[in-house]
Amino acid sequence: MQISLNKNALLRLGTELIRLAHNYKGGKHYHIDPIENEDASQVMGIILHPESCELIIC
């Protein structure tokens, strides 16, 4: 697995992970699916490339 992020993406991901840490409830997890066609869903400020695998943050 390879993750490629530019400076702004790293800052945004870090911000979202800090928010998650402050609001974390035991047992909760987030599924982030790759975009399909024109349908893009954004969870925690993350959009995955269509060829990416699903990302689960626990």
Side-chain angles (χ1 to χ4, degrees):
M1 179 171 87
Q2 176 181 350
I3 298 176
S4 298
L5 302 170
N6 64 24
K7 180 181 175 181
N8 286 335
L10 283 171
L11 289 170
R12 289 180 183 147
L13 177 60
T15 300
E16 292 301 324
L17 290 174
I18 290 169
R19 282 189 186 133
L20 175 63
H22 282 283
N23 298 317
Y24 183 75
K25 294 180 178 134
K28 186 160 180 136
H29 57 278
Y30 296 89
H31 289 262
I32 303 172
D33 296 316
I35 60 173
E36 294 181 14
N37 302 326
E38 299 293 322
D39 184 27
S41 65
Q42 183 176 343
V43 178
M44 295 183 58
I46 301 169
I47 297 175
L48 296 177
H49 189 273
E51 297 176 11
S52 297
C53 60
E54 174 186 31
L55 174 64
I56 301 173
I57 299 175
C58 302

